[in-house]
Amino acid sequence: MDQDSNSGLNGTPSRHESTRSEATHQENAWPSLHSIALIGNHLPRQCGIATFTTHLLEAIEHNIPERDIWAIAMNDHPEGYDYPPAVRFEIDQDTLSEYSLAADLLNLNQVDVVCLQHEYGIFGGRSGSFIIELLRHLNMPVVTTLHTILRDPSTQERRILVQLADLSDRLVVMSERSVEFLHYIYRVPEEKIVLIPHGIPDSPFVPSDTYKKRFGVAGKDVILTFGLLSPGKGIEAVIDALPKVVERHPNVIYMIVGATHPHLKAHQGEDYRIGLQLRAKTLGVADHVLFHDRFVSEDDLIEFIGAADIYITPYPNEAQIVSGTLAYALGAGKAVISTPYWYAQELLADDRGRLIPFGDSQALTATILELLDDADERHAIEKKAYEYGRRMVWPEVGRRYLDTFAEAIERPLRREVPRHRLETVGRRQQRLPEIKLDHLYRMTDDTGILQHSRFTVPDRTHGYCVDDNARALIVADMLQDLRPNDTYLGKLRAIYLGFLSHAFDPHSGRFRNFMSYERRWLEEYGSEDSQGRALWALGVASSFERHLGDAIVAAELFHRALHTVEQLRAPRAMAFAIIGIHAYLKRHQDDDATRKVLETLSQRLQQLFEKNSQDDWPWCEDVVTYDNARLPQALLLSGRLLPDEHMQETGLRALKWLKELQTDETHGHFTAIGNDGWLTRDGGHARFAQQPLEAAAMIDACIEAYNCTHQSEWIDFVYRSFNWYLGDNDLGLSLYDSVTGGCRDGLEARGVNENEGAESTLSWLMSLLALYNFRSRGREAQSGDGAAQSAEAST
């Protein structure tokens, strides 16, 4: 080990780095480590995290070859990959139950330490929240490597990283800037943070001519950029700089090595690569740009980098906390030119490379020419880079990780550790069913979602309606938030949004509701409820940023229909519209006119409660019918946003009353007000014909009550309402169909209604997704800590 191996990236000692002596780096130096499991992507999956995880595992094995080192691999599609034996378990990133199974496997195998590779996009759930479910149930030390640390995280992204910090004994980062971010932005204690550089292959320092012949560029001056191809890496800037470089050095070749990123290719094909090729052709340098469109092996990568005279990382902004490609190039002793993103500033300090301003093609051209013109200067940079990179070779990095693992065992710093090896099941710890969409797909055709089914068979007799397609659009948006790479969900969203668009009458601003299977509208305009539900769905869709075109269409429809809320008299229609306006305002906070509409409509709903309520009947009507909890939910949302304390109190009082009415006095389970007579002011109370939409409404409303009060009783009732679907009800029968993923239509006196219509299935999915979203809030969802994001459950 060289004398600088425990220094920071700038060559100065770092108190965050492991400081064990050389003598400890022997096979018997880590007696507490017998079994180590890594969690992350793994080769042959094609991405940087997979490469990192694979090489880290190999580096650990290199240092302690007789120990049990293995991996759990994340899959981005159900078929998985042809993994080597070191991968003993696979997790489908979008299947929550597999995270829990992985936790059980790790606990049962009594693994000494788990090393998690964290990148938001490789785990399922909102911003990768599913991994929190796994970590929460591990009873061994956890060391988490953070591959992305955002300076300006969203509320959810910050929430996830803070939970990772709570659930980890150590956080490994790869740059000094990462240390600063964790401490000052995320408030992570310094004692938890360990700086270990990005690992690199231990490649020899040889002239670039050694490798050029293999790639057909012998005698050329080679400039190289490597990595999975996608926008935002600044390759355009290098192509723009080439014309003047070629004038002076006509033998220059710019090699762009790497396959198109799989997710980009799935959505856009090769459009980006073709655009780069056309750019080079337009500038007259097409013959000087060489694309190697493939995912390269480790050996090939070393040779590609070895063939380069200059390596360029031209990222267009500073928000790059680590770069494996830059680390590899520096470690191979290459003259690197880079924009001054955070990681490059550290790694290329002290003349180990050249930094140029962002977006400055002239500076890039001048720097390339300087290094091509002055071989001595280029070689001096190469030597400094190679010498510095010796501290970053994988065997050394593996030793640093082993030190960190041992320290985590000796001095655990995790905030929460389960008391039992296997999960204890309570309402808040219960495992949620998987999100299964078979029946949703079955009920949806190219027109929209059908209203009814006979058992599990779609019933075309009754056609379609706006009510159900609005619900379906909300569900599709919630699903896409959890599964951003699922292209089929985008198709569903387009179908449901298209149905609402076709239902809209531009002259009246109203939506027609019922359509026959033959695609004939059956009415001039629909009910007030369907109008309100359409506005709700459009408000949700307009705030969905991943599909900008869909969001624009939804926002346009939303505004064209918004004036009709002045005509609404039905309290549920008002409530649906209010919920939709709240969803819209999440993205369009500066829309003062829409906020004013929200305020007026909320006050009208509040006045209905004030006019009709009495001490023993805190309700806005003389009968309590369907979708009841949506009314207090709307008041709670507006009471918190406007703010209006009286409105919030009205909503809480009404919801508490509903909660008491819908709790079985003997067994304490949820019992929805039945639609066979409803609940009337004169004492009538229908016990059966209980419908799934009542449980869905209660779940969303109780989550919003929790957002307002942080009182755990509301979350207890969330789970009580949810478990109604699963058999914790008056008849002890499950309404959820685990085979189809659908939901039966209701609870009757003689049993369940076996039909699985759209309303019931969508109510189930909305309920399940609300819990998924709430659970993604992590420790707050378990203990009641912290502030909540507005209207998360329903938007």
Side-chain angles (χ1 to χ4, degrees), residues 571 574 599-613 619-621 635 644 646-647 650:
M574 295 182 191
E599 185 174 355
T600 300
L601 190 60
S602 300
Q603 288 172 349
R604 286 175 53 203
L605 182 60
Q606 166 77 6
Q607 289 165 5
L608 290 179
F609 273 87
E610 291 175 347
K611 181 179 179 180
N612 199 65
S613 292
W619 200 242
C620 60
E621 299 174 300
L635 292 176
D644 186 322
H646 180 56
M647 189 176 292
T650 301

Side-chain angles (χ1 to χ4, degrees), residues 564-585:
T564 63
V565 301
E566 298 175 2
Q567 306 163 18
L568 297 179
R569 296 294 178 266
R572 282 159 191 78
M574 295 182 191
F576 301 151
I578 289 169
I579 295 169
I581 295 172
H582 275 277
Y584 169 85
L585 289 174

Side-chain angles (χ1 to χ4, degrees), residues 778-792:
R779 185 166 52 83
E780 176 194 345
Q782 300 297 310
S783 64
D785 293 346
Q789 185 175 347
S790 175
E792 281 193 40

Side-chain angles (χ1 to χ4, degrees), residues 454-589:
R454 296 187 63 197
F455 296 91
T456 61
V457 178
D459 185 355
R460 293 172 171 82
T461 305
H462 302 282
Y464 317 85
C465 68
V466 157
D467 285 317
D468 289 334
N469 279 275
R471 294 184 182 104
L473 180 57
I474 294 169
V475 166
D477 279 323
M478 296 173 77
L479 284 166
Q480 191 96 67
D481 203 22
L482 288 174
R483 299 178 177 180
N485 297 317
D486 189 334
T487 56
Y488 191 74
L489 289 175
K491 297 177 183 177
L492 288 182
R493 293 179 72 254
I495 289 172
Y496 304 139
L497 181 56
F499 188 93
L500 295 187
S501 178
H502 186 51
F504 182 69
D505 176 11
H507 301 293
S508 65
R510 296 289 298 270
F511 292 88
R512 291 161 288 200
N513 192 15
F514 295 108
M515 174 191 275
S516 72
Y517 184 68
E518 294 76 24
R519 296 188 179 182
R520 287 184 294 100
W521 290 109
L522 303 179
E523 57 194 351
E524 185 176 347
Y525 54 83
S527 66
E528 288 196 6
D529 278 8
S530 64
Q531 187 76 8
R533 284 198 183 93
L535 284 167
W536 177 4
L538 293 170
V540 172
S542 69
S543 67
F544 196 79
E545 299 181 1
R546 287 195 178 92
H547 293 273
L548 185 58
D550 290 0
I552 292 172
V553 170
E556 179 186 348
L557 275 174
F558 176 85
H559 278 292
R560 294 174 70 188
L562 187 60
H563 69 90
T564 63
V565 301
E566 298 175 2
Q567 306 163 18
L568 297 179
R569 296 294 178 266
R572 282 159 191 78
M574 295 182 191
F576 301 151
I578 289 169
I579 295 169
I581 295 172
H582 275 277
Y584 169 85
L585 289 174
K586 284 180 66 176
R587 185 181 176 193
H588 306 87
Q589 299 95 330

Side-chain angles (χ1 to χ4, degrees), residues 96 100 133 137 423-433 719-720 722-723 726 771 775 782:
L96 183 62
S100 299
E133 286 289 304
H137 299 112
E423 182 182 47
T424 56
V425 178
R427 287 197 189 275
R428 301 193 200 178
Q429 291 79 35
Q430 77 176 68
R431 291 180 179 171
L432 300 177
Y719 282 89
R720 193 174 298 173
F722 180 76
N723 287 332
L726 303 179
L771 276 226
R775 291 274 277 266
Q782 300 297 310

